[in-house]
Amino acid sequence: MISNRKLTFYHTAPSRGNTVHWMLQELGIEFDVKMLNLRQGDGQAAEFLEINPLGKVPTIVHGNIVVTEAAAICCYLADAFPEVGLAPAFDDPARGDYMRWLFFSPSTLEPAFLDRMLKREVDDSSLNSYRDWDTLEPMLLDVVGKADPWLIGKNFTTVDVVLGSAIRFGRMFGMLPENPVFDTYISQIDARPAYVRMQEIDAPYAVAGMQD
């Protein structure tokens, strides 16, 4: 069975690896963690470059399967461990919304955040994945405002891990405006035991990384 394979998680904190770590805590499965210090060059070690030639985290090795990119890893894990219930079944009508919003974060929201952080001028051409900020922000506010209480409905899913992490990041660094819709949703994330565990486990590594 795929779920019985050894799983190794390559991680650094803070990073997008926190999202995958949260996902792993939600799954409640056994896994080994390899903490990398990217500032000291661990990502460029020959052993790791054989696994991920870009030298990036997060990366997982599950048996002989390598998966990179945070959203892809979380999607893979949800389907590899379906008994946990973090993804709608393939024949569930909710699967379409699930896939759409799961990959909305890396393909649309994160590029918008980056442009906003760097104060880059953008236009609404087809080359821009999110059109413009004035279109994106109310759209995101509408999606989160319809959470019931989670983004895909009554059940917490991988979308809440991936897109929820981005929303939390956006509020933390002021890219998303203060709004009770965002803040109520984030408070629900903060109350999840798996999220709390992830934060507690990663905290010492995050502090150490800042001191390097």
Side-chain angles (χ1 to χ4, degrees):
M1 291 179 59
I2 190 172
S3 59
N4 291 334
R5 298 171 180 171
K6 178 182 177 182
L7 195 153
T8 303
F9 169 42
Y10 293 86
H11 179 30
T12 192
S15 74
R16 288 181 178 85
N18 294 95
T19 300
V20 172
H21 189 188
W22 175 19
M23 180 71 180
L24 289 164
Q25 292 296 333
E26 291 284 354
L27 291 171
I29 60 176
E30 293 186 7
F31 59 95
D32 294 332
V33 182
K34 302 288 188 182
M35 295 297 297
L36 304 183
N37 189 321
L38 301 185
R39 294 183 181 182
Q40 294 183 1
D42 291 354
Q44 298 304 306
E47 179 183 357
F48 184 59
L49 290 176
E50 288 182 6
I51 298 168
N52 186 343
L54 292 178
K56 293 171 53 180
V57 294
T59 296
I60 66 166
V61 179
H62 190 206
N64 61 354
I65 299 171
V66 176
V67 189
T68 67
E69 311 306 323
I73 293 171
C74 291
C75 183
Y76 170 85
L77 290 171
D79 291 336
F81 299 89
E83 66 277 7
V84 182
L86 293 182
F90 288 99
D91 59 353
D92 188 326
R95 184 80 183 187
D97 274 349
Y98 168 82
M99 295 300 292
R100 175 190 182 187
W101 297 116
L102 179 59
F103 291 99
F104 180 82
S105 177
S107 64
T108 303
L109 188 56
E110 290 183 23
F113 282 169
L114 184 61
D115 285 344
R116 201 161 175 81
M117 288 174 64
L118 298 177
K119 296 180 170 50
R120 293 195 293 218
E121 292 290 332
V122 297
D123 57 38
D124 60 358
S125 73
S126 60
L127 297 177
N128 183 2
S129 65
Y130 60 94
R131 188 172 170 183
D132 57 59
W133 187 262
D134 290 339
T135 301
L136 176 65
E137 185 182 304
M139 177 184 175
L140 185 62
L141 190 62
D142 181 65
V143 170
V144 179
K146 291 177 179 176
D148 186 29
W150 301 108
L151 295 176
I152 306 299
K154 300 296 183 185
N155 297 325
F156 179 89
T157 71
T158 310
V159 172
D160 296 292
V161 176
V162 176
L163 184 52
S165 292
I167 292 167
R168 196 178 189 284
F169 177 86
R171 279 293 299 117
M172 182 183 301
F173 291 97
M175 288 169 285
L176 290 176
E178 183 175 350
N179 189 295
V181 169
F182 291 135
D183 295 342
T184 297
Y185 176 67
I186 291 168
S187 70
Q188 294 172 180
I189 289 174
D190 290 346
R192 290 193 68 82
Y195 186 82
V196 174
R197 282 196 303 274
M198 178 275 289
Q199 292 277 44
E200 291 175 346
I201 293 168
D202 281 351
Y205 297 103
V207 172
M210 294 175 184
Q211 294 174 343
D212 288 339

